[in-house]
Amino acid sequence: MKNFYLILSCCALFSLTAHSENFSGDDFNGAWESDGGNQKVQPVGWHALSCNASGVFGSMKGGDESDASPIIENIFAGSKGSWMTTGYVIPGILSLGTPWIYVDTNYFTAAKGDLGVDGGVEFTGRPSKITFKAQYYNAPTSDIDDAAHIKVYLWKGSAESTDISGANHTDEMSAVLAGNAGATLIGSGELTIDNDIDAFEAKEISIDYTSQEIPEKMNIVFCASNYLSKKPEKPLEVAEGNYLQIDDVAVVYNSTGIENTQNEELELTVTRQGFSINDTSVQPVTIYETDGRLINQGLVNNDRYDFPFIPGKIYIVKVGNAVFKVCAL
């Protein structure tokens, strides 16, 4: 259960503690949850940023039970009257880590703020990229130049840091990306979306590896604002009403070259339900534990192979003569 608290002195601080690292499926059609009315309804295992100020309750769930997808929106937190508006816009965030926001207010107007995401999930794979579908809406009523920002990163070790309020954080995104003492950044990638996307469009983010080491953790951050990438210590500059809707998040692997095979053109797109390949031919499939034990075999059918991958566990998958070391989210 996430906790949050409000300090009604010179500042407001909203913080979400971590809970289960598992979520039901990459297509978001599994379980969703609420947090006692204080947190948006969100897919289990993913963590959204929200607060208890007026106007930010509700669900980020788009679609229906059989075809759901998160809508990540920048929402005004505060009150709007005829003579005075008090409050600020909260960036919409959905992450495998834990988002948090600190706002130092002056008469309930943001004077300066800090924002980040702590942690992620255990993950020891080395995918070449992540893929997902996205829609994006840039609200015409906002005079702030903003854009959606998506970040993926993998690391090992652990970094400690503090925000501008003095609060402590473990594996906060900016500290991991900076390679603060204790953390080794192994790979990362990012994407900015600043033009409207009216219907779901396939997107991908290539991961640039700077180390040959095996990661221990991974995080993906979907944000409807680019404020998270800038983190200026000044009033929140976030475009109200901008939203990012996502679906079908997956990780993609290239051949590892095990058993002297090299096929960089063949790709496996892995979800918890199985994998697809970018090849229409019928090919034999064998799946092994890392100790070499055979656990499954069959044929790729219509570019798709069904297998219940356990999240975070490494498998050796052989498709034809190409060999892959894979790990599902």
Side-chain angles (χ1 to χ4, degrees):
M1 180 70 69
K2 296 188 181 69
N3 301 313
F4 69 98
Y5 47 92
L6 175 64
I7 300 175
L8 295 175
S9 55
C10 62
C11 67
L13 176 64
F14 308 98
S15 179
L16 307 175
T17 61
H19 61 156
S20 171
E21 291 182 340
N22 297 321
F23 66 95
S24 299
D26 311 288
D27 57 9
F28 302 106
N29 294 337
W32 287 59
E33 65 181 356
S34 180
D35 196 13
N38 297 321
Q39 169 63 43
K40 289 177 176 240
V41 175
Q42 59 192 6
V44 169
W46 290 85
H47 312 303
L49 182 67
S50 187
C51 69
N52 65 343
S54 63
V56 296
F57 291 140
S59 172
M60 62 162 46
K61 192 173 188 178
D64 55 33
E65 294 300 321
S66 63
D67 189 18
S69 55
I71 299 173
I72 307 159
E73 184 176 6
N74 303 333
I75 300 178
F76 179 79
S79 62
K80 294 182 179 181
S82 301
W83 302 98
M84 181 180 296
T85 296
T86 57
Y88 35 85
V89 180
I90 300 293
I93 299 176
L94 186 68
S95 174
L96 293 172
T98 305
W100 55 268
I101 184 169
Y102 169 87
V103 182
D104 188 349
T105 62
N106 181 8
Y107 295 102
F108 298 100
T109 300
K112 62 181 179 179
D114 205 355
L115 179 68
V117 181
D118 293 347
V121 294
E122 294 182 2
F123 194 85
T124 55
R126 287 175 61 96
S128 60
K129 59 188 174 183
I130 67 166
T131 60
F132 58 95
K133 295 177 183 176
Q135 296 185 67
Y136 180 65
Y137 174 72
N138 199 327
T141 56
S142 177
D143 58 358
I144 295 175
D145 184 19
D146 209 344
H149 185 240
I150 302 98
K151 190 79 177 182
V152 54
Y153 50 102
L154 303 95
W155 74 101
K156 64 180 297 185
S158 190
E160 303 297 325
S161 60
T162 58
D163 61 34
I164 62 173
S165 74
N168 296 321
H169 297 273
T170 300
D171 287 342
E172 194 278 317
M173 186 178 87
S174 62
V176 171
L177 293 175
N180 284 13
T184 301
L185 180 66
I186 292 175
S188 65
E190 63 185 330
L191 176 69
T192 296
I193 302 175
D194 53 12
N195 295 318
D196 285 2
I197 303 175
D198 297 328
F200 274 122
E201 185 177 291
K203 295 291 183 182
E204 64 179 49
I205 300 178
S206 296
I207 299 173
D208 179 25
Y209 286 95
T210 56
S211 167
Q212 296 299 317
E213 297 185 75
I214 302 299
E216 299 171 343
K217 308 168 194 176
M218 177 194 200
N219 194 21
I220 303 174
V221 180
F222 292 97
C223 187
S225 170
N226 63 8
Y227 183 86
L228 186 63
S229 64
K230 297 183 294 185
K231 290 189 63 173
E233 295 181 10
K234 57 184 179 181
L236 293 170
E237 295 183 348
V238 180
E240 181 182 358
N242 286 19
Y243 73 78
L244 172 68
Q245 187 168 2
I246 61 169
D247 205 355
D248 296 339
V249 181
V251 285
V252 180
Y253 295 87
N254 291 328
S255 173
T256 61
I258 298 175
E259 298 179 1
N260 297 318
T261 63
Q262 283 289 347
N263 189 343
E264 295 300 327
E265 294 183 358
L266 188 62
E267 294 181 336
L268 257 65
T269 299
V270 176
T271 71
R272 292 190 175 191
Q273 294 79 35
F275 63 83
S276 61
I277 63 173
N278 60 337
D279 191 313
T280 58
S281 62
V282 176
Q283 298 195 52
V285 174
T286 48
I287 302 178
Y288 302 86
E289 299 272 13
T290 53
D291 61 4
R293 182 168 60 93
L294 175 66
I295 56 175
N296 187 268
Q297 59 185 346
L299 295 174
V300 174
N301 184 19
N302 294 325
D303 310 332
R304 174 79 192 182
Y305 193 84
D306 294 329
F307 179 81
F309 288 113
I310 297 173
K313 182 177 179 178
I314 290 289
Y315 297 85
I316 306 300
V317 178
K318 185 175 181 180
V319 181
N321 293 320
V323 181
F324 303 80
K325 183 183 290 186
V326 308
C327 185
L329 286 175

